Structure formats: structure tokens, C-alpha cells
């Protein structure tokens, strides 16, 4: 059995059937990133608001998360 610290959904090739593989997707919405990690989008929104997760804003409502920023956030959570 694996420990939770060893679990990394980013390396599992996780994807949603309707959207295909996220591995080639350089930027994601909150919902796409949340689906990849199997967490709520609100968790990511809170992390961004707290300055823990870097997001890119294109205007007032359009926000994207770079895959590498998401991976860094996941890695920071694994070491806490």
C-alpha cells in the first residue's frame, strides 16, 4: 500500500473522459485543475487568494493555472 505522501495524481495520467488527457494542457481552469487532483475548485481558489498558488488573470473573470505552478503547489503540500 502507498502512503498519501507518495500519491501524486499529476503523474498518474489522470483525466476526465470529456476533456481527454491534461498532460498536454499547459493552462487549466480552476475546475480542470481540480478535476485532475480530485479536489474542489474552491480549494484552489482559496490557495490562490492566499498567495499559495500562482494564477494568471486574463481580465476580471478569466483565470488560468499553469501546469508547472499546479505541480509546485502540489509538491509544497506534500512536504507540509
Amino acid at each position: 500500500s502507498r502512503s498519501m505522501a507518495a500519491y501524486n495524481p499529476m503523474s498518474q495520467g489522470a483525466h476526465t473522459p470529456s476533456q481527454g488527457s491534461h498532460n498536454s494542457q499547459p493552462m487549466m481552469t480552476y475546475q480542470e485543475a481540480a478535476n485532475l487532483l480530485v479536489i474542489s475548485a474552491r480549494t484552489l481558489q482559496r490557495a490562490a487568494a492566499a498567495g499559495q498558488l500562482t494564477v494568471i488573470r486574463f481580465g476580471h473573470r478569466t483565470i488560468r493555472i499553469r501546469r508547472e505552478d499546479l505541480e509546485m503547489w502540489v509538491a509544497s503540500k506534500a512536504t507540509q
Side-chain angles (χ1 to χ4, degrees):
S1 75
R2 310 188 272 209
S3 69
M4 284 305 290
Y7 176 70
N8 182 355
M10 302 297 288
S11 66
Q12 301 299 314
H15 67 278
T16 57
S18 62
Q19 299 194 353
S21 174
H22 285 280
N23 291 334
S24 63
Q25 192 170 350
M27 289 194 200
M28 295 171 260
T29 64
Y30 281 124
Q31 191 59 59
E32 290 166 341
N35 290 345
L36 181 64
L37 297 176
V38 193
I39 61 174
S40 74
R42 186 72 187 118
T43 297
L44 296 174
Q45 291 167 341
R46 282 193 292 266
Q52 300 169 349
L53 175 63
T54 302
V55 297
I56 300 171
R57 293 186 180 271
F58 298 98
H60 177 66
R61 294 179 49 123
T62 304
I63 297 171
R64 295 293 179 266
I65 303 167
R66 290 184 303 193
R67 184 176 182 86
E68 52 269 21
D69 292 330
L70 187 63
E71 289 172 349
M72 288 188 334
W73 181 75
V74 168
S76 76
K77 291 299 180 189
T79 59
Q80 289 182 353

